[in-house]
Amino acid sequence: MSENVREVRIMAVLDIQKYPEPVLKEKARPVEKISKDIQRLIDDMADTMYEAPGIGLAANQVGALHRVIVFDVTPKEEGRNLSVLINPEIVAASGELVHQEACLSVIDYSCDVRRKACVTVSGLDREGKPVQIEAQELLAVVLQHEIDHLDGILFIDRISRLKRSLYKRQIKKNLKK
Ligand SMILES: [Zn+2]
């Protein structure tokens, strides 16, 4: 194989872990070094998110316990604008909003979730450069949802116990089929 051929990156779509997979309940570890493996994970997560399609994906969802998220809330007609955050952290938050959420790991379900309306998130970009994002509306929701994943929290953990138990019952029934 020639050098040139080796440079071609093959698109890799990973399996998305679905509730109740235990990895979704685990806490992801901070990334200490942005190695080639982490770069590849980021690329594969982006492919997986766009293929799904989704607007955000956390590493736990592809079974990798590293604090990495990818997201893109750009409207479809405006093309792609991928964002990557490594070791993201909410450093400020204010206000409240309620938004209907769904998740690639929680099949056939969506529900209103109460979140902070505005968040400031700091982290590293894929080159390791510190970045800070001020987000509101949909982007604020996505960032809180994805950072929750890194802490082993799903959006169904943030709804009422009654709604959650109805969903769990439905899933159990489906798994038995
Ligand atoms: Zn999710």
Side-chain angles (χ1 to χ4, degrees):
M1 218 190 266
S2 77
E3 273 308 301
N4 290 342
V5 173
R6 218 181 293 157
E7 289 303 311
V8 175
R9 201 180 71 81
I10 294 162
M11 185 170 159
V13 172
L14 306 171
D15 281 339
I16 297 178
Q17 304 297 309
K18 308 273 170 28
Y19 175 86
E21 276 301 326
V23 72
L24 295 169
K25 282 261 161 212
E26 280 183 60
K27 230 175 138 94
R29 287 177 301 273
V31 173
E32 273 158 29
K33 181 173 174 279
I34 304 171
S35 60
K36 274 218 168 97
D37 286 347
I38 293 290
Q39 297 275 2
R40 188 173 319 124
L41 173 67
I42 289 168
D43 290 335
D44 293 349
M45 282 172 63
D47 290 343
T48 306
M49 175 182 76
Y50 286 121
E51 177 73 15
I55 55 174
L57 193 73
N60 302 47
Q61 291 179 276
V62 293
L65 288 170
H66 302 292
R67 297 189 83 83
V68 174
I69 62 172
V70 295
F71 52 96
D72 186 350
V73 297
T74 317
K76 229 177 232 151
E77 58 276 12
E78 290 174 26
R80 288 180 178 182
N81 185 17
L82 177 71
S83 292
V84 176
L85 270 182
I86 297 166
N87 300 341
E89 229 177 292
I90 296 171
V91 292
S94 62
E96 264 192 4
L97 61 69
V98 174
H99 191 272
Q100 193 178 28
E101 292 185 30
C103 178
L104 297 172
S105 295
V106 179
I107 46 173
D108 297 333
Y109 191 68
S110 64
C111 191
D112 281 346
V113 181
R114 190 178 298 274
R115 302 255 187 205
K116 296 294 182 189
C118 306
V119 290
T120 306
V121 176
S122 70
L124 304 174
D125 70 9
R126 64 178 303 159
E127 272 77 46
K129 204 175 77 200
V131 285
Q132 195 162 74
I133 298 174
E134 308 233 350
Q136 46 194 333
E137 296 174 8
L138 180 60
L139 183 56
V141 171
V142 170
L143 286 169
Q144 290 169 85
H145 178 119
E146 301 311 331
I147 293 171
D148 264 358
H149 272 301
L150 300 180
D151 291 323
I153 298 166
L154 298 173
F155 81 95
I156 51 171
D157 295 319
R158 294 200 179 274
I159 61 178
S160 75
R161 197 177 296 172
L162 176 68
K163 283 182 185 162
R164 186 164 55 245
S165 63
L166 287 173
Y167 177 69
K168 288 183 178 176
R169 213 176 299 162
Q170 181 191 321
I171 283 290
K172 265 185 208 143
K173 226 191 287 169
N174 291 349
L175 287 178
K176 270 183 208 148
K177 271 181 200 164

